């Protein structure tokens, strides 16, 4: 449950070695960073910031609680839970893979702000919504709200709530996701406690049990943690 960070080690690092420097803190905007890519010509570090719905860019020498000097973010970008990023220095482009809308988007290497992609690759119409499912290990029924609660592991950690009558391509009516939730990439044990209106989640990688209020949604912290 440490805050998200980027740690830099020497190439000869071995054993219990401290990092040379760390990028960490609220100014960094790091929120489920999914992947990184370095511009070999400038040393700039590009980060796919999954829950931040953004690509954030740091200088190679940055350290501490420092703000990114460029941020690609906004509705025009078509970014949706970006999980992968690659810097193409030859063609001066940035490639991004998006879990939220099942797409790859391409931007100029110096893109900043709410910019439209140069190109977009997608296997379906944009009105088809990705449910961001990678590995669904459990299921619970929220009897108070008549919703199916589905935890998603590995690819995109979240707990999605669907209407009981949901069908193909039905969007979730809510999703618990994000850094403040403390949800990890594995949730194999899962239960809705009807009498107390609580959602109980096992988090084996954190050696913890998380308890959320029954109506939790978004980046909402658990009301209790057993750890």
């Amino acid at each position: 449950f440490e805050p998200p960070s980027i740690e830099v080690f020497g190439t000869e690092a071995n054993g219990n070695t401290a990092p040379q420097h760390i990028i960490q803190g609220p100014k960094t905007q790091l929120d489920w960073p999914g992947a990184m890519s370095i511009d070999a010509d400038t040393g700039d570090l590009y980060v796919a910031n999954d829950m931040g719905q953004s690509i954030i860019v740091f200088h190679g020498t940055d350290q501490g609680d420092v703000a990114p000097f460029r941020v690609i973010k906004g509705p025009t970008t078509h970014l949706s839970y970006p999980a992968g990023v690659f810097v193409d220095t030859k063609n001066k482009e940035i490639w991004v893979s998006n879990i939220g809308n099942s797409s790859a988007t391409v931007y100029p290497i110096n893109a900043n702000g709410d910019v439209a992609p140069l190109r977009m690759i997608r296997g379906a119409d944009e009105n088809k919504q990705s449910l961001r499912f990678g590995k669904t290990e459990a299921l619970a029924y929220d009897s108070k709200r008549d919703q199916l609660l589905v935890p998603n592991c590995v690819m995109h950690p979240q707990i999605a709530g669907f209407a009981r009558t949901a069908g193909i391509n039905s969007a979730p009516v809510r999703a618990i996701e994000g850094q403040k939730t403390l949800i990890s990439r594995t949730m194999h044990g899962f239960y809705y406690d009807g009498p107390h209106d609580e959602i109980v989640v096992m988090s084996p990688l954190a050696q913890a049990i998380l308890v959320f209020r029954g109506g939790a949604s978004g980046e909402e912290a658990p009301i209790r943690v057993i750890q």
Side-chain angles (χ1 to χ4, degrees):
F1 293 162
E2 291 290 330
S5 66
I6 297 169
E7 301 181 359
V8 183
F9 297 86
T11 54
E12 301 299 321
N14 187 32
N16 190 15
T17 305
Q20 293 179 346
H21 56 270
I22 301 175
I23 301 174
Q24 186 180 55
K27 293 180 183 178
T28 68
Q29 301 182 32
L30 289 169
D31 196 351
W32 284 97
M36 299 183 294
S37 184
I38 292 178
D39 183 337
D41 296 334
T42 64
D44 294 341
L45 176 65
Y46 291 71
V47 182
N49 201 34
D50 189 330
M51 278 303 304
Q53 307 282 359
S54 60
I55 301 298
I56 52 180
V57 189
F58 298 96
H59 295 295
T61 55
D62 283 345
Q63 59 181 321
D65 188 9
V66 58
F69 74 95
R70 276 193 287 128
V71 178
I72 305 172
K73 183 176 182 176
T76 307
T77 67
H78 291 267
L79 290 172
S80 183
Y81 302 92
V85 62
F86 177 74
V87 179
D88 177 357
T89 55
K90 180 179 178 180
N91 298 295
K92 303 299 181 184
E93 293 179 338
I94 309 164
W95 283 79
V96 181
S97 60
N98 298 281
I99 289 176
N101 57 18
S102 303
S103 73
T105 46
V106 186
Y107 308 90
I109 199 167
N110 61 350
N112 191 28
D114 187 11
V115 297
L118 298 171
R119 300 184 301 283
M120 185 173 181
I121 301 172
R122 196 167 195 272
D125 296 335
E126 282 199 73
N127 63 350
K128 301 295 185 182
Q129 179 171 342
S130 166
L131 302 181
R132 305 194 298 278
F133 277 177
K135 193 173 184 182
T136 53
E137 290 283 345
L139 180 74
Y141 175 61
D142 181 342
S143 54
K144 183 173 183 179
R145 295 163 190 84
D146 198 23
Q147 293 175 1
L148 296 173
L149 301 177
V150 186
N152 184 49
C153 302
V154 183
M155 182 176 71
H156 181 90
Q158 70 170 9
I159 297 170
F162 293 89
R164 180 182 54 81
T165 56
I168 295 174
N169 203 44
S170 295
V173 295
R174 60 172 166 144
I176 305 171
E177 56 189 352
Q179 185 67 29
K180 294 177 183 177
T181 67
L182 305 182
I183 290 173
S184 73
R185 67 187 296 274
T186 303
M187 294 172 283
H188 295 178
F190 187 71
Y191 181 72
Y192 174 70
D193 179 356
H196 299 98
D197 192 24
E198 293 179 344
I199 302 170
V200 184
V201 183
M202 288 180 62
S203 184
L205 296 181
Q207 305 284 332
I209 298 172
L210 313 178
V211 183
F212 296 90
R213 66 182 187 90
S217 184
E219 193 168 359
E220 183 172 329
I223 55 177
R224 295 191 306 282
V225 177
I226 303 173
Q227 186 185 46

